[in-house]
Amino acid sequence: MDAEINPRKNLIGLDRDELASELAAIGEKPFRAKQLWHWMYYHGVTDFDAMTTIAKAARPLLKELFCTERPDISRLETSEDGTRKWLLKFDDANEAETVYIPETDRGALCISSQVGCTLNCSFCHTGTQKLVRNLTASEIVGQMMVARDSYGEWPLGKDVPKSERMISNIVMMGMGEPLYNFDNVKKALKIIMDPEGISLSKRRITLSTSGVVPMMQRCGEEIGVNLAVSLHACNDELRDQLVPINRKYPLKELLEACRQYPGANNANRITFEYAMLKGVNDSDADARELIRLVRGLPVKFNLIPFNPWPGTRFENSDPKQAKRFSGILNKGGLSAPIRVPRGRDIMAACGQLKSDSERQRRQKTGLSA
Ligand code: SAH
Ligand code: SF4
């Protein structure tokens, strides 16, 4: 069944100026926008009647015109390792996935930026789903709101002290290429970082790009978050095959953009993500070539065991070889831990997300479900 159309305007995802002008348009003073911001993003309150500092007389009109709606939860799955995956449904019935990965020291929320992806990295499940559309700022912030609601991490909820909250970090590593949806991602992250709301520090946010070189500088300057780059290969020939955006922005340009990334230095390094693909990019020679390639750059490696999905032609590297590979990088002075796969049993690990269910595909192609 299609979601009911909500006639009220959703305030989630508006920046401060937009919120103030919405309220000015109904004759409210700027302080009302400040109050609302605090209720929405500091307390996570959705009911205008629970916003006790807002004059009772002002509430009926607010309720009539506005809402603070989150995306609907189509499905929630929990892995045996505690990883949680939400399939979220937006107003137009499109869906995207959000994943929470618990760590020993709290955990990270993996947020999507698009429904599907225009790029088709050959080892990525998301890449097999066509891009449907960019997510709006509201839908990106909405993923954080859903996760926080779910863990009761608002001060008026279970009153979990900030230092003990489960969601301590955000990784823009879900479905889609965040730098192809720059404006909405920037707007959403600014809302999430705003000190009078959710107030997550930029140091706790990492954005992963497949290598959209022309947007990297702006990402550092205008958003200021940590950067991760999906490298996956030590030469252009192989990277052209694995990460096809390389044909547009080859390694030389990508590495130069990394060298110039604002805020990157030896104390705050860019992460190079490297999926370990058996017999494809995991030889000793590949590791040595990588050391040569990144010499002098403020980077560290994150070796990701390949996460399988139905129909893929790739296999994960032999664990012994992955260890050797990591050891060679270490000897070359590079940090290169092998990541422990999380949430594989619910298809929630890196590169496994996909939201065009069989049912949706059938609907699109006119077949009966
Ligand atoms: N689109 C962005 C972020 C999303 S994916 C990007 O490409 O950077 C997060 C990371 O998982 C990326 O480094 C991606 O290349 C990697 N990845 C994709 N498919 C994978 C798979 N099947 N196994 C392991 N890692 C994968
Ligand atoms: Fe898109 Fe990233 Fe998957 Fe490549 S790895 S297809 S850029 S989501």
Side-chain angles (χ1 to χ4, degrees), residues 129-317:
Q129 175 178 358
K130 278 215 183 85
L131 176 81
V132 180
R133 65 169 174 84
N134 282 335
L135 293 180
T136 63
S138 175
E139 292 162 342
I140 297 169
V141 177
Q143 297 174 61
M144 177 70 168
M145 308 298 270
V146 165
R148 274 202 152 186
D149 289 348
S150 163
Y151 288 104
E153 298 204 332
W154 301 107
L156 294 181
K158 280 195 237 148
D159 201 11
V160 184
K162 202 169 177 184
S163 59
E164 286 170 26
R165 289 193 191 142
M166 306 273 283
I167 308 163
S168 55
N169 293 69
I170 285 182
V171 290
M172 292 301 301
M173 292 189 186
M175 297 168 55
E177 167 49 61
L179 295 188
Y180 274 167
N181 186 14
F182 185 82
D183 291 343
N184 291 331
V185 166
K186 173 181 163 184
K187 192 171 168 193
L189 291 179
K190 293 264 176 203
I191 292 171
I192 290 172
M193 291 189 280
D194 188 291
E196 285 172 49
I198 297 169
S199 185
L200 195 69
S201 148
K202 63 180 183 179
R203 298 260 171 253
R204 295 190 168 275
I205 302 177
T206 301
L207 181 149
S208 173
T209 180
S210 58
V212 184
V213 168
M215 298 308 290
M216 285 167 60
Q217 183 82 11
R218 281 189 66 194
C219 176
E221 275 169 5
E222 296 177 29
I223 317 181
V225 292
N226 302 314
L227 187 71
V229 173
S230 297
L231 192 67
H232 307 306
C234 63
N235 59 55
D236 282 321
E237 198 189 344
L238 180 59
R239 196 162 188 272
D240 281 351
Q241 302 304 316
L242 298 176
V243 187
I245 197 179
N246 194 68
R247 295 178 205 154
K248 207 165 177 186
Y249 308 117
L251 277 173
K252 192 162 177 273
E253 291 176 27
L254 178 62
L255 298 178
E256 187 50 35
C258 289
R259 191 182 309 282
Q260 291 179 11
Y261 188 71
N265 53 49
N266 285 342
N268 189 26
R269 290 168 184 262
I270 295 172
T271 303
F272 276 169
E273 295 158 286
Y274 199 90
M276 299 299 294
L277 307 170
K278 186 177 187 171
V280 175
N281 67 357
D282 67 345
S283 70
D284 294 3
D286 287 320
R288 287 193 290 269
E289 186 59 21
L290 282 176
I291 296 170
R292 202 195 54 76
L293 193 70
V294 308
R295 190 156 290 145
L297 285 177
V299 298
K300 58 185 178 190
F301 275 80
N302 210 337
L303 304 180
I304 316 174
F306 170 66
N307 294 307
W309 39 271
T312 181
R313 62 190 159 94
F314 294 101
E315 280 177 76
N316 185 17
S317 300

Side-chain angles (χ1 to χ4, degrees), residues 114 116-128 174-177 209-210 230 232 242-244 351:
Q114 298 181 313
C117 189
T118 38
L119 302 170
N120 37 8
C121 304
S122 47
F123 52 90
C124 174
H125 199 202
T126 310
T128 65
M175 297 168 55
E177 167 49 61
T209 180
S210 58
S230 297
H232 307 306
L242 298 176
V243 187

